[in-house]
Amino acid sequence: MSEALLLSVIQKLDVYDGEGKVEKEMIIKEIREMVDIVRDKKLEEGRSLNFLVSDLVDVVDDAYELLPFTSYTKPIHSWIGEIKKKMLKLGDDDESNMRSSQNVEDDVDVVGLKEDVEMLLRAMIVGEEGFYKTLLIKGMTGIGKTTLAREIYNHPTVVERFKRRAWVSNSADFTIKGLLIKLIQQVEDPQNLHASSSLENMDIARLRDVLRQHLRGKRYLIVLDDVSKQMHLTSFMKALPLELNGSRLLLTSHTTLIEIYSYVGEKDAHQMKPLDANKSWQLFMKTINHGNKLTGEHKFPMKLEHMGKQMLRKCGGLPLAIKEVGKQLAEKKVSEGSEWEQLLESVDFSSTLKLLESFYQKLDPKLESCFMCMAFFKENTTLRAEKLKQIWAAGGVVDSRCNYEAYLDGLIDESVIDVVEKSRKYHMNAMLHMLSIQKAEEKLGLEILRNNGNNQPSQSHRHHRVIICSRDKFNHSTDQDKHLVSLFFHGGGYLDTSPSYWKSFEQLKILDLEDFGLKNLRESIGTLIELRYLGLRNNYIHELPDSLVCLENLEVLDIAQNFMVEIPDIIWEMHSLHHLYLSDVIFRKPLKIGALQKMKTLTYITVDNWTYELSGLKMLSFLEKLGIEELDGNSDVSKLFVSLAVLESLKHLILRGYRFRSMPCLDELHILDNLKTLKLDGLLAKLPRSFPPNIESLTLVNSCLDEDPMSQLAGKLPELKYLKLRNAYTGQRMKFLHDGLPRLEVLCIEELWNLRNVVCGGYEMFWLEKIEINNCPYLDTLPEGIGSFSYMKEIKMVTTRSIAAKMRKLKCISKIGIVNINP
């Protein structure tokens, strides 16, 4: 029966002769392989096989709705691939082994979720009369997504509000048909229950009709737990009636790229955050002292709280890891009777890493190398987007034909890294970092050495090495160094190597000494002729060696945050440089245009060291990001802007003032037509009379304006989507004018020390989605009409305790889904 259905699907596809023949043939190829699986493995006609084939038939029907076959069928092709994998597993294992797998978050205690519950409950209630809204709880494995969803699902307010509720968790044998059956069984009237066998005999179209009938006219809440981005949920979504009754669909997932392409109402994502130190400690104590065999004098002593908290830092605030550690310590105390100090020093995280293995297995295969590369960096460090992409490129760990930005977006989407406060900086959880080290050692050839004189490089070939140094003299070895592609130094600061040390790195492409405390760089560095990335940021280097000119393949040179570095003449002869990061440097000779023809990034160069040779500047056809510093009242900015206007690819510009001096008048800034992002850092008497017309992001830092910046910006930035003001205004009142910033989506205000009132109506901020307010100690109210803004989704505010309490009671925020106001 199953084989016949598969063959009929192939026959249906064969008759199609329109556009997208390649996509169609790919799908047919997958289905033919399924036919072979059924034949070769002689699969019995069981429930699991029938469900998988039913899903396939329905997926192909969806594909026909998208005719002609185009790139829109990619998600469908992905789900067909998932069906084939499940069918292969069904052939290898008994059907009993395809039962639902336990979610690793199932037993996470409820600690530190009060604010999350409040925000999600608000999102559940806001928009009572609208179409059903899709809410997403997003985060890495073990962070508490399922626990939070359960708190919402069982909350008295939710139980009372939603007449129909259903919960389905993802499992190894997940199918759309199985999902529909489980939902029907939970939402149908107890007096009119369908027999399980009758539901299984229905096709998916009929099951959708049955589910729709049970939900029609009812306000419902459906929870889909642990949704993967491969799931093809179109069939399920079609079963949800589109009624104006405020129904909700709540999903938990490690990713936001869930394949729901139609029938979806407004979508809100709630990003789960790790527990802070205090909440981590609460969960640890709850785990270790309750539900275990520890009694009386054997319980964890409070005198070791500091030592315990130091150990918990390795858990990265991950509830799953904290509970595993608590259980492990309790079991060891009972079985071994060792002292608590000894137990804390011998904590083993291997069991937690095994539980996180499922997270790694779910990653897009294209992201695996990027994930493993995170092992190169320090634990709990903050990473810049530019550095990540440059390391990937220099090391050749990802496909150079692809857009590196796509890899970065993929890591963010799949909860591998978190964005640090809407910046271009990112953070990785400590437990995931530990997992990335394990995987990199297994698959990427990573070796981690500690400079304590006890460990030496391995005898096997290694391609990547991290050296963690102490304050003692660096103890180095040249064994097997010629195979290294990347070398990272952490800690220490004392790097007194012999000239022969660097000569042993014949293939080295990446050398990173950022934050190392390095004082001198030897001439022998010039022997690294294959080097493409040299990271020297935030050290104590006073002079670069002339031998750098020998690094003819070097594409990235980062010497920012080294105070008063003398730059030799040869820097302008390094013709392969793409990205050059400077600050507080002394040039022996002026800038030479010829060396910059491949340059994409140049930050920062002083206004006096900039060149104004227009014919030469036209050759800088790749320069996208530029930082100019030390602007003051004597700077000829008219001449500067004329020279910058020649740079056709320039999209991002940063202008910095000189210490505490005022920046010059910037009225001629408008001639830079191609700019997308602009940052002005320094004292300003007033803002420019006009701006480049295509600016989408504007940041004003330390401007200390006397006049309201909103009145000065009104009508000048028609495309602006992001506005950040930090210490940019000294006044008490800020007013948004009618149609002043018509496309603004995000507003961030920080350190406006005198601000007391923000005034606006509604139309002038029509597209505003998010407001962030930090360190504005006198701002104790929000614009009255803010709750009526059509797209307003989130307010985030850090203020005093008394103001936070007052703000939470304001009526104007009652209809906003995410409100996070805290001291």
Side-chain angles (χ1 to χ4, degrees):
M1 179 65 178
S2 295
E3 181 181 340
L5 277 173
L6 292 173
L7 291 172
S8 68
V9 170
I10 294 174
Q11 185 177 10
K12 181 178 180 179
L13 292 173
D14 268 334
V15 300
Y16 173 73
D17 194 33
E19 294 180 14
K21 290 183 180 179
V22 174
E23 290 81 2
K24 183 196 75 170
E25 291 302 322
M26 289 173 61
I27 293 175
I28 290 177
K29 180 176 179 292
E30 294 276 11
I31 300 174
R32 290 192 189 280
E33 290 176 1
M34 291 185 201
V35 174
D36 292 338
I37 292 170
V38 174
R39 288 174 178 169
D40 295 345
K41 296 183 178 295
K42 298 180 180 178
L43 297 179
E44 296 182 4
E45 290 292 334
R47 177 176 180 270
S48 297
L49 179 59
N50 291 334
F51 278 23
L52 289 172
V53 173
S54 294
D55 273 20
L56 177 65
V57 172
D58 193 66
V59 166
V60 173
D61 287 342
D62 276 348
Y64 257 79
E65 291 184 11
L66 294 174
L67 292 178
F69 285 95
T70 63
S71 58
Y72 291 108
T73 61
K74 182 179 179 181
I76 293 175
H77 184 265
S78 175
W79 180 240
I80 290 175
E82 288 296 308
I83 294 174
K84 186 177 75 171
K85 289 179 185 177
K86 293 175 186 292
M87 198 173 287
L88 281 167
K89 184 174 182 180
L90 189 64
D92 293 335
D93 304 324
D94 186 80
E95 285 197 23
S96 61
N97 293 328
M98 290 284 286
R99 61 185 177 272
S100 181
S101 58
Q102 182 185 12
N103 192 308
V104 295
E105 299 180 17
D106 279 353
D107 63 348
V108 176
D109 283 328
V110 180
V111 171
L113 293 179
K114 181 180 178 182
E115 294 173 1
D116 300 87
V117 170
E118 289 178 354
M119 283 190 280
L120 273 172
L121 279 178
R122 178 186 293 273
M124 283 282 178
I125 296 170
V126 171
E128 179 175 352
E129 299 305 323
F131 288 116
Y132 76 82
K133 178 161 55 174
T134 303
L135 306 174
L136 171 66
I137 301 175
K138 178 179 179 287
M140 63 174 285
T141 295
I143 204 165
K145 302 185 298 294
T146 301
T147 304
L148 175 57
R150 272 212 192 93
E151 286 294 294
I152 297 299
Y153 187 78
N154 295 319
H155 195 280
T157 303
V158 170
V159 173
E160 180 181 359
R161 179 178 178 81
F162 297 95
K163 302 306 179 184
R164 292 285 188 269
R165 292 183 306 134
W167 179 297
V168 179
S169 295
N170 183 27
S171 60
D173 61 346
F174 177 88
T175 61
I176 297 299
K177 183 170 182 176
L179 168 65
L180 292 170
I181 290 174
K182 289 177 182 178
L183 290 175
I184 291 170
Q185 290 172 337
Q186 292 183 59
V187 302
E188 68 180 341
D189 192 327
Q191 298 179 349
N192 189 30
L193 289 174
H194 283 82
S196 177
S197 58
S198 67
L199 291 174
E200 291 180 11
N201 290 329
M202 295 180 187
D203 62 18
I204 288 181
R206 175 59 182 147
L207 288 171
R208 283 199 301 262
D209 291 339
V210 173
L211 179 58
R212 193 181 303 111
Q213 289 170 14
H214 288 303
L215 295 178
R216 187 170 288 129
K218 306 290 193 305
R219 182 185 292 150
Y220 57 84
L221 166 63
I222 295 176
V223 178
L224 301 185
D225 186 31
D226 195 23
V227 181
S228 69
K229 70 178 181 180
Q230 289 83 13
M231 288 184 183
H232 180 66
L233 295 176
T234 303
S235 293
F236 159 67
M237 306 302 288
K238 290 178 181 178
L240 302 181
L242 290 177
E243 298 176 327
L244 298 171
N245 61 4
S247 293
R248 297 289 184 263
L249 174 62
L250 178 61
L251 313 175
T252 75
S253 178
H254 73 285
T255 178
T256 52
L257 293 178
I258 300 167
E259 299 301 347
I260 302 176
Y261 354 86
S262 58
Y263 307 99
V264 178
E266 181 184 359
K267 296 182 288 293
D268 287 331
H270 178 78
Q271 179 73 50
M272 293 289 290
K273 300 293 184 183
L275 300 178
D276 61 24
N278 291 331
K279 291 174 182 176
S280 295
W281 182 249
Q282 291 175 28
L283 179 58
F284 173 73
M285 293 301 292
K286 184 175 181 180
T287 303
I288 201 168
N289 286 335
H290 299 282
N292 294 299
K293 298 178 181 179
L294 300 178
T295 57
E297 69 276 8
H298 295 297
K299 289 196 172 184
F300 192 87
M302 292 305 296
K303 66 179 182 179
L304 295 180
E305 179 176 349
H306 177 72
M307 186 177 180
K309 285 184 175 179
Q310 288 294 109
M311 179 274 298
L312 284 180
R313 291 181 62 185
K314 297 179 181 179
C315 295
L318 188 67
L320 174 69
I322 296 167
K323 283 186 67 69
E324 281 293 307
V325 167
K327 290 177 181 178
Q328 178 188 139
L329 292 175
E331 290 170 1
K332 285 187 175 182
K333 184 65 177 176
V334 171
S335 61
E336 301 175 8
S338 303
E339 295 297 323
W340 281 112
E341 291 92 335
Q342 182 181 351
L343 291 173
L344 287 172
E345 292 174 352
S346 62
V347 171
D348 181 10
F349 290 98
S350 59
S351 61
T352 303
L353 294 181
K354 287 182 181 178
L355 291 173
L356 289 176
E357 181 70 24
S358 63
F359 178 84
Y360 175 76
Q361 296 299 332
K362 292 175 185 176
L363 285 180
D364 186 330
K366 293 179 181 179
L367 298 177
E368 288 184 10
S369 294
C370 298
F371 174 79
M372 291 185 283
C373 282
M374 301 302 290
F376 301 159
F377 308 105
K378 296 178 186 176
E379 177 185 317
N380 288 321
T381 194
T382 299
L383 294 166
R384 301 180 304 280
E386 291 83 0
K387 181 171 182 176
L388 281 173
K389 292 186 288 186
Q390 289 158 8
I391 292 292
W392 297 339
V397 295
V398 297
D399 190 343
S400 60
R401 296 169 297 178
C402 297
N403 181 2
Y404 293 113
E405 195 73 28
Y407 288 102
L408 188 62
D409 291 341
L411 291 180
I412 298 167
D413 176 74
E414 299 214 24
S415 302
V416 174
I417 55 178
D418 296 321
V419 180
V420 179
E421 296 299 330
K422 287 291 182 181
S423 66
R424 294 284 290 169
K425 297 180 180 179
Y426 307 96
H427 176 266
M428 187 182 205
N429 184 272
M431 289 305 307
L432 278 188
H433 183 261
M434 202 177 297
L435 182 63
S436 73
I437 292 175
Q438 182 186 86
K439 294 301 178 183
E441 289 175 336
E442 294 173 2
K443 300 182 177 183
L444 210 59
L446 172 66
E447 179 176 58
I448 297 181
L449 300 179
R450 295 184 180 275
N451 184 39
N452 54 16
N454 296 324
N455 59 8
Q456 293 292 325
S458 65
Q459 296 304 307
S460 59
H461 295 336
R462 292 289 179 172
H463 297 103
H464 308 279
R465 181 178 295 164
V466 173
I467 298 179
I468 302 175
C469 297
S470 65
R471 289 292 178 182
D472 301 326
K473 185 176 180 179
F474 175 59
N475 180 26
H476 65 275
S477 170
T478 59
D479 294 344
Q480 303 297 337
D481 290 344
K482 63 182 180 180
H483 300 288
L484 286 182
V485 174
S486 66
L487 180 59
F488 293 77
F489 284 85
H490 298 167
Y494 190 86
L495 186 62
D496 187 15
T497 58
S498 64
S500 62
Y501 177 69
W502 297 116
K503 292 180 180 179
S504 62
F505 299 106
E506 298 177 3
Q507 303 298 322
L508 196 68
K509 291 181 171 60
I510 300 169
L511 176 59
D512 188 37
L513 290 144
E514 183 171 340
D515 301 327
F516 189 69
L518 190 67
K519 294 182 180 179
N520 298 298
L521 197 62
R522 286 186 174 272
E523 287 284 342
S524 55
I525 197 74
T527 61
L528 304 177
I529 58 175
E530 296 295 327
L531 204 64
R532 296 177 62 186
Y533 180 98
L534 179 56
L536 302 171
R537 180 180 293 240
N538 195 27
N539 283 288
Y540 302 103
I541 301 171
H542 295 296
E543 184 178 7
L544 293 182
D546 289 341
S547 63
L548 283 183
V549 73
C550 300
L551 306 181
E552 56 186 29
N553 294 307
L554 192 68
E555 296 177 357
V556 182
L557 176 59
D558 188 349
I559 54 174
Q561 299 176 27
N562 284 269
F563 184 67
M564 302 303 289
V565 185
E566 186 172 351
I567 305 296
D569 302 345
I570 52 86
I571 195 71
W572 305 125
E573 298 176 21
M574 301 171 67
H575 299 286
S576 294
L577 278 179
H578 290 173
H579 307 277
L580 178 59
Y581 301 93
L582 313 165
S583 59
D584 295 315
V585 299
I586 302 171
F587 289 107
R588 293 180 187 168
K589 287 187 178 180
L591 171 66
K592 293 181 181 179
I593 292 297
L596 302 179
Q597 292 184 31
K598 295 182 179 180
M599 196 75 72
K600 296 180 180 179
T601 306
L602 177 58
T603 62
Y604 290 88
I605 186 169
T606 67
V607 67
D608 292 332
N609 283 319
W610 182 245
T611 183
Y612 301 95
E613 182 188 339
L614 298 184
S615 59
L617 285 169
K618 291 180 180 179
M619 299 167 61
L620 307 185
S621 56
F622 297 104
L623 190 62
E624 296 177 359
K625 184 175 181 179
L626 176 65
I628 303 285
E629 61 183 0
E630 296 191 7
L631 291 164
D632 62 15
N634 296 320
S635 303
D636 189 346
V637 288
S638 296
K639 187 178 179 182
L640 172 66
F641 292 151
V642 169
S643 68
L644 297 183
V646 176
L647 305 175
E648 296 181 355
S649 297
L650 187 64
K651 298 292 189 297
H652 315 283
L653 178 64
I654 307 170
L655 299 178
R656 279 182 176 175
Y658 184 68
R659 298 183 183 178
F660 299 106
R661 300 179 187 175
S662 291
M663 294 176 68
C665 176
L666 304 176
D667 284 345
E668 296 177 57
L669 187 65
H670 66 91
I671 66 173
L672 306 181
D673 291 343
N674 296 325
L675 281 190
K676 295 290 186 180
T677 69
L678 174 65
K679 181 177 180 179
L680 303 178
D681 184 352
L683 290 171
L684 287 170
K686 63 176 182 178
L687 291 176
R689 287 183 296 185
S690 57
F691 287 83
N694 298 311
I695 292 288
E696 296 178 358
S697 174
L698 174 63
T699 301
L700 302 178
V701 179
N702 298 323
S703 306
C704 298
L705 295 162
D706 295 327
E707 186 180 348
D708 181 359
M710 293 306 162
S711 63
Q712 297 185 65
L713 294 174
K716 299 177 182 177
L717 294 161
E719 302 298 324
L720 191 70
K721 297 178 181 179
Y722 176 88
L723 175 62
K724 182 174 182 178
L725 307 173
R726 178 159 67 86
N727 191 27
Y729 175 47
T730 60
Q732 299 182 12
R733 187 172 185 267
M734 195 158 62
K735 182 178 182 180
F736 284 81
L737 302 181
H738 176 69
D739 207 24
L741 298 172
R743 300 187 64 83
L744 189 65
E745 296 176 3
V746 179
L747 172 64
C748 300
I749 56 177
E750 300 178 0
E751 300 174 18
L752 302 190
W753 306 111
N754 300 319
L755 187 65
R756 285 168 166 78
N757 191 17
V758 178
V759 179
C760 65
Y763 179 75
E764 55 267 33
M765 300 176 73
F766 182 80
W767 295 102
L768 194 65
E769 296 180 1
K770 181 175 181 178
I771 293 181
E772 292 187 17
I773 302 172
N774 296 306
N775 297 325
C776 298
Y778 294 107
L779 185 61
D780 61 358
T781 187
L782 292 169
E784 265 187 47
I786 196 169
S788 63
F789 295 170
S790 300
Y791 292 91
M792 177 60 66
K793 294 181 180 179
E794 182 176 357
I795 293 178
K796 183 176 181 180
M797 186 172 187
V798 178
T799 184
T800 64
R801 189 176 300 276
S802 59
I803 292 179
K806 178 181 177 181
M807 287 284 204
R808 292 194 197 104
K809 298 177 182 178
L810 294 175
K811 292 183 179 180
C812 63
I813 64 173
S814 61
K815 294 184 179 181
I816 297 176
I818 302 175
V819 177
N820 189 357
I821 301 177
N822 294 296

